[in-house]
Amino acid sequence: MTEPDEMLEIYQFEACPYCKKVREKLNDLQIDFIARQVKPGSDRSRVEEISGQTGVPVLVDPNKDTVMPESDDIVDHLEKHYG
C-alpha cells in the first residue's frame, strides 16, 4: 500500500450515504484524512471554489494534485493510488 505524504481532505456531511462510502474506503485503506463538514442547505461556496460544484463528497488529494467529486470516482482513485 502506498502511504500518502500529505493528508487527504474530504468535504462531506455525516448523513450522506455517498460520503459514508468514501469515509469507509479511507478507513478500510487505513488512510488518515481531514473531514471538512458541509452542512446540508448551508453555504457551499468553499466546496464550489475548490471543485466547481456544490455537491459532496469532494476529495482533495494534494499528493496526486487532484480534486475529485463523485463517490464512485473517489473510491476508484483511492484504490488505484493507495490500495
Side-chain angles (χ1 to χ4, degrees):
M1 173 171 67
T2 303
E3 293 291 326
D5 296 326
E6 295 184 54
M7 187 91 57
L8 304 183
E9 296 177 55
I10 180 171
Y11 286 80
Q12 58 104 46
F13 66 90
E14 292 299 315
C16 170
Y18 304 107
C19 299
K20 180 181 178 186
K21 178 196 300 190
V22 173
R23 287 193 314 271
E24 287 176 348
K25 179 52 68 176
L26 287 160
N27 288 323
D28 288 348
L29 295 173
Q30 299 178 347
I31 297 172
D32 291 331
F33 63 96
I34 299 168
R36 305 279 186 202
Q37 299 303 316
V38 179
K39 295 178 183 173
S42 68
D43 176 25
R44 295 186 181 195
S45 57
R46 177 67 181 140
V47 175
E48 187 172 18
E49 181 182 312
I50 62 166
S51 70
Q53 66 177 33
T54 58
V56 292
V58 171
L59 174 74
V60 178
D61 183 347
N63 305 295
K64 304 299 178 191
D65 196 26
T66 300
V67 175
M68 177 177 290
E70 302 298 330
S71 60
D72 288 338
D73 293 340
I74 294 170
V75 168
D76 289 345
H77 172 84
L78 294 171
E79 282 287 342
K80 178 180 178 184
H81 295 287
Y82 302 106

